[in-house]
Amino acid sequence: MGAHVSIAMYQRNIPLRYRLVGQRCQTCGGVNFPPRAVCSQCSKGTRFEDIQLSGRGVLYSWTRIAGAGAPSEFAAQAQALGSFVVGLVQLEEGPRVVAQIVEVGRSAPRLGQRVEAVLRRIYEEDGVIRYGYKFRPAGDAAPTPPGK
Amino acid sequence: MGRHDGPGIVAYGVYFPSRRISSDEYRRAWGSCAAAIKEKAVPDFDEDSLTMAVEASRRALLSGPRRDPGTAAVLALATTSAPYAEKALASTVVSSLGLPPDIVTVECTTSSRAGAEALELATMVLAEKRKPGAWGLVAAADAPRAAPHDPLEHGLGAGAVAIVLGWEDVLARLVGRCSWVEESLGERFRRAGQERLNDMGVREVTGSVFDRVAGAAVGGLLEASGLKPADYRYLVVPQHDGRAGLQLARRLGFKEEQVRPAFLFDRTGDVGVCSCLVGLAAVLDVAAPGERVILVAYGSGAAASALDLEVTAEAGAHRRPQVGPALDGGVPVDYLEYLKLRRML
């Protein structure tokens, strides 16, 4: 956040930004998200296969970005909403990711709250809309789909 | 397989953004509410027709038999509020859902009839791809806009509906259709480059155009099916206001109980291209095997589509109602928050 990401760089990462495509290390089996050159789990593996992450996880930590505290590309959003929440989400598959947490209003999100990924507009730059994942609270009673 | 052997609806999903504005907020702000709504959904600041289409599509895919997104054969999108006037819209949905890049895509825009058009066209494409497992997706999403001081704005809502089409496990089969267009001016339009709807509001004229065009589509459909209004259990009418669709049904010889189950305007407002599909979803939530459904959609300009559907024995077997849960709940916002969320302030 706050750093310029070129269209070319953004575009390269669309599968991970739009639908959370991660990688599984062929050396240790660990899951990386976002993808890396060297596995973050075993620090050895350099060969990976793409895997579709579930988008489910729990809220590990969060902070509220208010008013003038927002990086410039999020200023319009902060102005319209007053503030917004950024969280650290522990994905079901292991990795922790930073993302906005939506649909929590003004209340304090609960640590350990189950969340699920949604596609939203992240920001606009050069007139181009940058879409990507955010997370919103998921019902705690949500069943785990078959196949997990 | 019955006599109408062909692809049909196998699953569907409905999405409304979580925030709601009530008609009381309009009364507080303007002294009255020009639309017969109790409330309507308000998209979040970071939502648009594409994000809502993706959300409804994910719900539709979760509600039916498991499918590999990579095998979809057709995607038909419908919206009148696309975030881009030029740029493929389908690519955002294809990438977000993991659909295959060689998928046939159709984008229906510029008319609130587009939701029915997308359903019709996707079914036609899929009918050509007659192989086991072939399936397709219709995703309709809309959040039409008008100027805050325009009474038309009061009724404009937001939402999305997605329909999975396939050859197996069909809940409802498309058995007939009729399309009707004729040139008509002045009702609900947006010139190129404009964001907000205009409507000259000459109801005596536009009302009769609506009646004629939507009525002609339904009339053509009945002529083709050889059935009478009473042979249909449900009629899904256009829901761009709280009245016109109900009056049309009456004039065509349909009864209140055939129209009401699908008439949700007071809770949804005008959801543009989705209005007829939300109504269809509400019907599929309750319909019984063998029942027939007419869906009629209308767009200014003017164009209408009528679709004839037959509910199969699959419906009800694995019923997971979509419309009620999507409409229930919601977080209220006041009018000022509404203006900010909709980028009107």
Side-chain angles (χ1 to χ4, degrees):
Chain A
M1 289 197 348
H4 171 73
V5 178
S6 70
I7 286 179
M9 234 161 79
Y10 205 92
Q11 170 129 355
R12 211 169 300 140
N13 294 330
I14 275 177
L16 79 90
R17 291 182 188 275
Y18 283 21
R19 63 172 195 275
L20 290 117
V21 172
Q23 58 181 192
R24 188 186 298 284
C25 174
Q26 295 195 338
T27 305
C28 75
V31 173
N32 291 274
F33 185 88
R36 329 220 162 203
V38 177
C39 177
S40 63
Q41 316 279 302
C42 66
S43 305
K44 288 196 191 78
T46 54
R47 292 162 63 90
F48 305 95
E49 57 171 348
D50 285 350
I51 58 161
Q52 175 64 61
L53 304 183
S54 66
R56 291 186 297 269
V58 295
L59 189 60
Y60 183 82
S61 177
W62 63 273
T63 187
R64 187 176 284 280
I65 312 253
S72 59
E73 60 268 48
F74 299 98
Q77 183 190 2
Q79 197 179 32
L81 302 178
S83 67
F84 59 88
V85 171
V86 172
L88 189 55
V89 171
Q90 171 98 52
L91 295 174
E92 216 172 67
E93 292 85 355
R96 282 182 197 152
V97 296
V98 175
Q100 283 192 35
I101 312 296
V102 297
E103 295 184 21
V104 287
R106 292 253 159 214
S107 60
R110 184 167 53 78
L111 293 184
Q113 161 80 53
R114 291 168 67 128
V115 293
E116 61 188 5
V118 290
L119 181 79
R120 294 291 177 101
R121 289 175 177 223
I122 308 295
Y123 59 91
E124 288 175 32
E125 197 173 297
D126 305 324
V128 175
I129 303 165
R130 312 271 178 107
Y131 293 95
Y133 58 83
K134 297 185 182 181
F135 290 84
R136 73 159 164 234
D140 276 339
T144 307
K148 266 308 297 174
Chain B
M1 298 253 181
R3 92 199 120 93
H4 302 294
D5 191 11
I9 297 169
V10 299
Y12 55 100
V14 177
Y15 172 70
F16 289 100
S18 69
R19 291 182 169 88
R20 301 280 186 278
I21 185 165
S22 71
S23 54
D24 287 341
E25 285 297 323
Y26 276 89
R27 278 182 213 106
R28 238 189 299 280
W30 293 100
S32 65
C33 181
I37 54 166
K38 290 194 189 83
E39 63 175 21
K40 62 181 184 178
V42 184
D44 207 339
F45 185 77
D46 55 4
E47 290 185 286
D48 62 23
S49 286
L50 290 177
T51 65
M52 292 193 294
V54 168
E55 180 76 39
S57 298
R58 285 182 176 155
R59 291 180 179 201
L61 288 167
L62 279 173
S63 81
R66 288 206 129 200
R67 285 192 157 68
D68 173 8
T71 62
V74 55
L75 167 68
L77 272 185
T79 184
T80 62
S81 49
Y84 289 96
E86 175 160 350
K87 177 201 170 301
L89 302 171
S91 54
T92 308
V93 178
V94 165
S95 294
S96 302
L97 298 175
L99 305 177
D102 64 347
I103 190 168
V104 174
T105 59
V106 184
E107 297 174 1
C108 302
T109 58
T110 75
S111 157
S112 55
R113 177 176 75 149
E117 250 176 341
L119 175 56
E120 195 177 347
L121 289 169
T123 309
M124 288 163 79
V125 172
L126 196 59
E128 283 193 358
K129 300 196 181 280
R130 190 176 193 138
K131 56 176 189 201
W135 66 281
L137 183 65
V138 177
D142 228 343
R145 296 149 74 97
H149 56 76
D150 187 341
L152 176 65
E153 200 284 325
H154 298 195
L156 299 178
V161 179
I163 292 174
V164 180
L165 299 170
W167 284 88
E168 293 97 25
D169 307 315
V170 169
L171 308 173
R173 213 175 289 285
L174 182 60
V175 294
R177 54 173 185 263
C178 183
S179 178
W180 194 273
V181 289
E182 58 179 67
E183 179 71 334
S184 158
L185 310 174
E187 181 198 5
R188 192 166 172 145
F189 64 91
R190 217 158 33 91
R191 293 291 304 271
Q194 287 183 338
E195 276 212 331
R196 292 168 173 182
L197 287 167
N198 302 285
D199 197 327
M200 299 194 174
V202 194
R203 283 287 149 260
E204 309 82 70
V205 179
T206 58
S208 69
V209 172
F210 169 89
D211 267 2
R212 193 165 66 243
V213 176
V218 174
L221 195 73
L222 290 173
E223 201 177 308
S225 71
L227 297 176
K228 299 184 297 296
D231 298 324
Y232 289 85
R233 174 63 187 85
Y234 300 102
L235 175 69
V236 183
V237 291
Q239 304 177 27
H240 305 298
D241 63 47
R243 245 194 351 258
L246 297 175
Q247 288 169 348
L248 171 78
R250 216 170 300 130
R251 264 191 287 274
L252 291 172
F254 289 84
K255 293 199 163 61
E256 182 87 4
E257 66 260 28
Q258 290 167 288
V259 192
R260 274 289 166 194
F263 201 78
L264 303 163
F265 182 80
D266 64 332
R267 297 189 71 191
T268 64
D270 178 355
V271 282
V273 301
C274 304
S275 83
C276 63
L277 299 184
V278 173
L280 178 61
V283 163
L284 293 175
D285 279 350
V286 297
E291 290 179 334
R292 291 283 282 262
V293 184
I294 292 181
L295 174 156
V296 56
Y298 173 79
S300 61
S305 283
L307 307 181
D308 187 346
L309 295 124
E310 183 174 27
V311 178
T312 73
E314 275 300 315
H318 317 280
R319 180 155 280 158
R320 292 173 84 170
Q322 300 292 317
V323 178
L327 276 175
D328 290 345
V331 181
V333 295
D334 62 31
Y335 190 70
L336 201 56
E337 289 173 291
Y338 173 76
L339 290 180
K340 287 196 276 187
L341 288 168
R342 301 235 49 197
R343 302 172 192 239
M344 289 195 283
L345 186 67

